[in-house]
Amino acid sequence: MEKTLNFESLLVRLGNDIELVNEILHLFKDTIPEQVEALKSAVEEKNTELIQYAAHTLKGSAGNISAEKLAVTASVLEIAGKEGNIVGAESLFSIFLKEYKELEIEIRKLF
């Protein structure tokens, strides 16, 4: 089962360099709100092409920090956008926001 934040995986992937982990997580915290806003706008505009693009970007960002749940949901959102499935994308976006909030809490616990 996917974790909200697989800290152990992130630490191993970054060579057990805790300073680098902190830097990466701070960078994520600083850049992710703009990416989430782009996805929210795409969903509100029912623009499946932009949903696909924004979800793809978020999938990469989440994957980079081992935010497994968020990465999986972003991947499914990307597919919904690619398939033109706006109803599915709207439902998935609600799940995405819940998982994003959980991730914010997990990251805050680390600092």
Side-chain angles (χ1 to χ4, degrees), residues 53-86:
Y53 176 79
H56 178 79
T57 301
L58 284 158
K59 175 181 73 175
S61 296
N64 286 340
I65 66 158
S66 297
E68 297 170 345
K69 283 184 177 181
L70 200 65
V72 168
T73 302
S75 179
V76 178
L77 257 164
E78 180 183 10
I79 292 167
K82 183 177 182 178
E83 294 175 348
N85 181 355
I86 191 62

Side-chain angles (χ1 to χ4, degrees), residues 42 46-55 81-82 84:
K46 301 183 185 316
N47 185 328
T48 55
E49 185 176 321
L50 287 178
I51 290 169
Q52 180 183 359
Y53 176 79
K82 183 177 182 178

Side-chain angles (χ1 to χ4, degrees), residues 5-6 10 13 24-25 28 60-67 103 107:
L5 178 63
N6 189 335
L10 177 60
R13 285 185 26 234
I24 295 295
L25 288 175
F28 178 84
S61 296
N64 286 340
I65 66 158
S66 297
L103 179 60
I107 291 173

Side-chain angles (χ1 to χ4, degrees), residues 1-62:
M1 183 168 170
E2 294 88 17
K3 294 183 176 182
T4 300
L5 178 63
N6 189 335
F7 186 78
E8 296 80 17
S9 172
L10 177 60
L11 189 59
V12 169
R13 285 185 26 234
L14 296 178
N16 291 314
D17 184 339
I18 196 70
E19 288 181 26
L20 183 56
V21 169
N22 285 336
E23 186 178 322
I24 295 295
L25 288 175
H26 275 98
L27 182 62
F28 178 84
K29 237 175 64 171
D30 292 344
T31 59
I32 196 75
E34 186 177 316
Q35 294 176 15
V36 172
E37 188 58 38
L39 179 58
K40 179 183 176 195
S41 294
V43 170
E44 287 173 348
E45 295 169 12
K46 301 183 185 316
N47 185 328
T48 55
E49 185 176 321
L50 287 178
I51 290 169
Q52 180 183 359
Y53 176 79
H56 178 79
T57 301
L58 284 158
K59 175 181 73 175
S61 296

